[in-house]
Amino acid sequence: MMLLRYLTQIGKYFLMWKEIFNKPTKWSVMKGLILKEIDDLIIGSLGIVAFISFFVGGVVAIQTALNLTNPLIPKYLIGYATRQSIILEFAPTFISIIMAGKVGSFITSSIGTMRVTEQIDALEVMGVNSLNYLVFPKLIALLLYPFVIGISMFLGICGGFIASVYGGFGNSSDFIDGLQIDFIPFHITYAFIKTLIFALLLATIPSFHGYFMKGGALEVGKASTVSFVWTSVMIILMNYILTQLLLTS
């Protein structure tokens, strides 16, 4: 029975994708909705992303430096390890999980509240495709998500640089040498491909849980929790699949 329930939910999720692009809302209305979602989901997230990225970059550099106890190991490995950790995993994956908590909960609760207060029913009565009206602007806004991750990468490396140099673990030239050594440009491409896939998950899974929820105000909170769990699970699963496809081939 549980397997059947999960398969039903997966089916509803993919049918929702189809419905998002049916009967599009007029562009004059949609433009304002998209700009509002960009402000709420992208610009509103820059502060927390910048704060976390800077300090985690510093922590990665310090942890690496503290583990390089052998004097024969070159100091440039601090910069190298910071770059690899932040570009490959921390910025695209762990920031996305944090965003699943911030952005995902916001999306689920806002759409869930509209469902509880029958605003979605009112849209349907007026002949508006509510999925297109509510989810499509979020989907378009989160296509700018790689921009947020680009800032996260930059600030993470800056945090590592400051922690390494001003913490007395190495000099600036060693850290910069570490950033440049054995650099593979495809790693940036790989990070942004992952980020784009994660953006689609961040827009649609919380929307799905908010749109199809049943009950009252208490269930809105439960739906937000469930959407965070499933968004995080799917991000980690897709991270594994994409890493296997893009880095091991």
Side-chain angles (χ1 to χ4, degrees):
M1 284 298 290
M2 188 174 284
L3 177 63
L4 187 63
R5 188 157 62 87
Y6 283 140
L7 288 173
T8 305
Q9 293 291 86
I10 292 166
K12 276 172 74 175
Y13 173 75
F14 285 108
L15 286 172
M16 182 191 82
W17 265 98
K18 176 177 172 287
E19 195 61 32
I20 287 168
F21 299 98
N22 282 345
K23 280 177 64 184
T25 307
K26 283 192 290 187
W27 174 245
S28 57
V29 176
M30 185 59 73
K31 183 171 66 175
L33 293 171
I34 290 170
L35 290 173
K36 182 181 180 302
E37 297 297 350
I38 289 171
D39 186 43
D40 288 342
L41 305 180
I42 300 297
I43 296 170
S45 302
L46 287 176
I48 186 73
V49 168
F51 178 80
I52 291 170
S53 300
F54 184 83
F55 285 102
V56 170
V59 169
V60 169
I62 292 167
Q63 293 277 20
T64 306
L66 291 175
N67 284 293
L68 296 179
T69 51
N70 191 325
L72 297 176
I73 298 175
K75 290 290 185 186
Y76 69 72
L77 282 178
I78 299 170
Y80 176 81
T82 304
R83 182 196 77 201
Q84 293 297 91
S85 302
I86 286 169
I87 288 176
L88 291 176
E89 280 310 312
F90 170 73
T93 306
F94 291 102
I95 289 292
S96 295
I97 291 170
I98 291 161
M99 291 284 275
K102 185 190 180 298
V103 170
S105 297
F106 172 76
I107 291 172
T108 304
S109 58
S110 59
I111 295 178
T113 303
M114 289 183 75
R115 171 63 75 191
V116 168
T117 54
E118 298 179 354
Q119 293 177 56
I120 292 175
D121 298 331
L123 286 170
E124 296 285 352
V125 166
M126 289 189 292
V128 175
N129 177 0
S130 56
L131 275 170
N132 178 265
Y133 185 88
L134 294 171
V135 183
F136 185 75
K138 293 172 175 58
L139 209 52
I140 298 302
L142 279 164
L143 291 179
L144 293 175
Y145 183 53
F147 166 72
V148 176
I149 297 304
I151 290 173
S152 172
M153 289 177 185
F154 173 74
L155 289 173
I157 289 169
C158 284
F161 176 82
I162 288 169
S164 175
V165 174
Y166 293 99
F169 298 107
N171 58 48
S172 59
S173 60
D174 282 339
F175 191 89
I176 291 166
D177 284 346
L179 290 180
Q180 294 173 334
I181 199 162
D182 289 339
F183 176 64
I184 300 170
F186 179 72
H187 285 173
I188 301 285
T189 308
Y190 155 77
F192 282 126
I193 290 170
K194 282 206 303 188
T195 300
L196 209 52
I197 301 294
F198 296 162
L200 300 180
L201 296 175
L202 282 169
T204 54
I205 295 176
S207 297
F208 172 81
H209 284 283
Y211 188 86
F212 291 105
M213 65 148 289
K214 293 180 174 67
L218 182 64
E219 279 70 23
V220 173
K222 288 180 180 175
S224 297
T225 304
V226 172
S227 84
F228 168 67
V229 170
W230 279 109
T231 308
S232 302
V233 166
M234 288 308 301
I235 285 170
I236 290 165
L237 185 62
M238 288 305 298
N239 182 45
Y240 174 79
I241 292 168
L242 291 168
T243 303
Q244 191 73 25
L245 287 173
L246 298 173
L247 290 190
T248 60
S249 57

